[in-house]
Amino acid sequence: VSAQQQATWTRNFNPFVSDNRFPTSNGVYEPSMIYNTIKGELLPWLATKYEWSSDNKKLTLTYRTDVKWSDGQPFTAKDVAYTFNLQKANKGLVGGGQNAWTYLDSVAASSDTAVDFTFKEVYTVGLYDIVGQNIVPEHVWKDVKDPVTFTNENPVGTGPFTEVKNFQNQIYEIHKNPNYWQPGKPMVEGLRFPAYPGNDQANLATINGENDWVGNFIPDIEKTFVSKNPETNGYFFPPTGATVMLYLNTTKKPFSDVNVRKAISMAINRDQIVKVAMYSYTKPADATGLSDAYPSYKSQSIVDAGKSWVSLNVEEANKMLDAAGLTKGSDGIRTVDGQPMTYDINVVSGWSDWVSACNIMAQNLKAVGINATVKSYDFSAWFDRVQKGDFDMSIGWSSGGATPLNYYRGQMATTKVKPVGETSDENWHRFGSADADKLLAQFAATSDAAEQKKVAEQLQQLFSDNAPAVPLFPGPAWYEYNSARFTGWPSKDDPYVVGSPFGATEQLLLMTSIKPK
């Protein structure tokens, strides 16, 4: 498997931190239910069903009785309640359960098979945060002194792959769970992860037939990969990936000014980025920021009305920057409070598509008097900086989910704005809007689809008006496969699930379907 790119591996299987080893989340540990993006349906997993109270303020999940942890101990609903309460007690832990505590009042197991989630207010879409949270065993984690720094080197989970058989700097292996609750699964003995410092090394190994399951950007894929062996080499890039953004740190001048953010957006040549950096695998983003995962929600009138600020217009961008008082010096570089507008655009080293996109943006920004330099970091260092708000400009992903709520919450909710220096799992640009909070609450307070669509349109308008971050392009869900040794891969002909190893909970559907030839 080629899923993460780092020069050397660090042994960390903690599902509550972002930089853990694949497949800690949704592979070693499992969620209550799985949302299948392709089919738009919620599937039972550890939980068999959910039920709302008549006032929608209590959600009850019912759990299986035949599940064991990988160490043989029984899994019960008490583990679920423990997981959520652990997150409540430790604000530094990431995950859907952490999000849930913004609207939950309490979580308690009413029996060995049932958990009651009591809400402070009606928040129907909280269902997706809750059922997507990976569950950990109380009997292991109750003795952990600091769950934030715990590296969990020998994990105990309910997932299909739990046994760390080999861990070295350059390669590690996780073998199948001897006590997995689905009889006969997984059908694969284990997963092996070679360390690749970047796309080039990972792609060379993939093209040479060394990898079976891949989640990487491969340039000119038909020519460089598929044509090498059309019988076995395939890919499937559904348009469901969250939008890739240019984040501007809104805690700093002049990025706190919406007109400056829009001017920067208008200086960017998205057509060039899509064609050159992305090999036309995607298309330019529109003014809603939404990817193609939400066709029933997207408002064409807002897309049309917002075209100007997501389209290349260097002349207008320069006028807007002039109007913002950002005058050009003798060297042609604009200044803010007497300081030249010289910035780094942060990116992950080796992510060649993003690096290329950033190089194009840096070149584009020179035309409007902004001196931007591409600065690449190892993934862990980039992720630490972007989460803590330690940047001026950075490329990055956005949040996805079953509805547009997660995306707009991650872009504009005041509840997600953390002080610079404090880790944030989203809203890296630190933009908050009280109007967004009200709309997000309205969206979540109803289960009426027509009403949700109406509120979603207002959120789209608010995003287009405020440009909290600069949308670049919908992110393709990178996924390549080699069927020489294993079969059962999702494909264009059999799109049963998003195949990307970054496919969140649904990657479990792939892991439990693949079989050796």
Side-chain angles (χ1 to χ4, degrees), residues 55 60 89 101 137 149 183 257 280 316 322 382 393 401 407 464 478 490:
D55 64 357
T60 301
W101 281 111
T149 58
D257 182 343
S280 300
E316 186 60 28
D322 288 342
W382 168 83
M393 299 180 170
Y407 172 75
S464 185
W478 302 125

Side-chain angles (χ1 to χ4, degrees), residues 51-60 103 105 116-125 444-447:
E51 195 173 353
W52 288 101
S53 61
S54 57
D55 64 357
N56 280 346
K57 287 186 79 172
K58 186 168 87 170
L59 173 70
T60 301
Y103 47 81
D105 186 47
D116 293 331
F117 297 84
T118 306
F119 288 64
K120 295 176 195 167
E121 71 265 351
V122 176
Y123 194 79
T124 56
V125 289
T446 179
S447 48

Side-chain angles (χ1 to χ4, degrees), residues 95 189 268 307 488:
E189 196 59 43
I268 292 170
K307 262 190 180 138

